[in-house]
Amino acid sequence: MYVLSGDWSIISSPSPKPYPHKPPKCSNCAPLFMKTTAVLVRHHGIYVWGDSWISAKTQAECYHYLFDAAIKIHHLGLDWSTPDHGHIQNVKGFSSINSMIKRVATKAGTVESDFKLQPYPRCVVLDIEGTTTPISFVTDVLFPYARDNVGRHLSATYDSAETQDDIKLLRSQVEDDLKQGVLGAVPIPLEDPGKEKVIASLVANVEAMIKADRKITALKQLQGHIWRTGFENNELEGVVFDDVPEALEKWHALGIKVYIYSSGSRLAQRLIFGNTNYGDLRKYLSGFFDTAVGYKRETRSYVEITESLGVDKPSDILFVTDVYQEATAAKAAGLEVVLSIRPGNSPLPENHGFKTINSFLEI
């Protein structure tokens, strides 16, 4: 978003997106101005969208732009209610920019009328298990489904390029496990004895990996492919906590980008959020991260995510998880962190030092 002053100078411009996107230019906004019937109004020297006679759909979009503009101006430390746009202060009739956002949001119907603005994060990164979704769904539904269907899946798809890639990853992982003496690892024979023996050994290794709840790419990739079949056949349905859809919708209305970071594959993440008990929630999500970016208890993983999102500073990102070690790693990378307390989650260490929430609506 561009923010312009009364003399049309640019106060703030959007951050450039990575290649192959072209650098942003203010003139690129011209078609938007010319195609709509909305009136560009000068409000105390700051130019924003506003109008009272356009269609309901366009009006809702304009409110959305106003809402984004208000948040941007707030982040710049400017007070919309004063002609010289000084630093935010209490002004008669407006305790802060919260008042304007509250009125716009209430009229647009985007958030609750008593919502209070805090310095919003630019991005929210969410864990799944124990954060958006009950742990029991993963341990009692997804894992057993993958375990019970791994043999059938491998037999039915053995000659496909996708499954051969899964097998290649599993072979490499099992070779490392055997060298390190990992419990449950068994050798995978070559193709010569026949695929039945290969599949039997793969099943044994996968079952041991699932039992140990290992967060490794070879397992997670195969699980995602097995779960895809389950979702396609309506044998599986994703589950999220009741507050999740409302929070996602609210953040989306605020212009906050929401991402998922899970040890499950990106495919598995898309399947869960695309087929939930509240319908397809992917429209509220901007992207997915898995162990390809790094393990969740390693600080470097969160550095990679920060660089991928292109924020000005790591603290522009809020990370929500139920795992203390993940929270510590994210905090070390400079992210803002809150711990999620949900039914069935493991107890947190005493004096852990993090803010906790029981619902996303507390954020």
Side-chain angles (χ1 to χ4, degrees), residues 2-12 26 29 33 39-43 45-48 85:
Y2 282 92
V3 179
L4 309 180
S5 69
D7 60 2
W8 294 100
S9 62
I10 298 176
I11 298 176
S12 175
C26 192
C29 301
F33 281 75
V39 178
L40 183 66
V41 295
R42 184 176 184 270
H43 190 81
I46 296 289
Y47 286 86
V48 294
H85 320 302

Side-chain angles (χ1 to χ4, degrees), residues 286-347:
S286 298
F288 303 87
F289 295 98
D290 60 13
T291 52
V293 79
Y295 292 110
K296 297 182 68 182
R297 300 188 181 195
E298 297 178 358
T299 297
R300 182 62 196 170
S301 304
Y302 301 92
V303 174
E304 290 290 338
I305 289 175
T306 299
E307 293 176 352
S308 297
L309 298 186
V311 294
D312 296 328
K313 54 186 182 298
S315 59
D316 286 338
I317 304 172
L318 174 65
F319 177 54
V320 187
T321 181
D322 65 307
V323 179
Y324 171 73
Q325 292 85 348
E326 295 174 6
T328 301
K331 182 179 180 181
L335 279 67
E336 294 293 325
V337 181
V338 296
L339 283 169
S340 172
I341 299 177
R342 300 287 197 177
N345 285 9
S346 299

Side-chain angles (χ1 to χ4, degrees), residues 26 84 90 143 176 179 182 200 202 231 300 328 337:
C26 192
D84 60 356
N90 287 340
F143 284 179
D176 290 343
K179 290 177 183 177
V182 174
L202 288 168
F231 281 105
R300 182 62 196 170
T328 301
V337 181

Side-chain angles (χ1 to χ4, degrees), residues 52-106:
S52 60
W53 47 271
I54 55 178
S55 69
K57 180 177 184 296
T58 305
Q59 189 176 39
E61 292 172 349
C62 290
Y63 282 132
H64 180 72
Y65 296 140
L66 280 167
F67 205 39
D68 282 348
I71 294 171
K72 186 64 178 180
I73 293 168
H74 180 77
H75 283 168
L76 291 171
L78 301 175
D79 189 344
W80 77 279
S81 63
T82 60
D84 60 356
H85 320 302
H87 291 289
I88 296 172
Q89 56 185 307
N90 287 340
V91 179
K92 184 177 181 181
F94 298 94
S95 59
S96 71
I97 197 170
N98 284 317
S99 301
M100 190 273 277
I101 291 183
K102 180 176 176 182
R103 295 182 183 192
V104 172
T106 302

Side-chain angles (χ1 to χ4, degrees), residues 6-42:
D7 60 2
W8 294 100
S9 62
I10 298 176
I11 298 176
S12 175
S13 59
S15 301
K17 294 183 178 180
Y19 180 85
H21 296 282
K22 295 181 180 179
K25 294 192 300 182
C26 192
S27 58
N28 291 342
C29 301
L32 176 63
F33 281 75
M34 296 171 67
K35 280 186 176 182
T36 67
T37 56
V39 178
L40 183 66
V41 295
R42 184 176 184 270

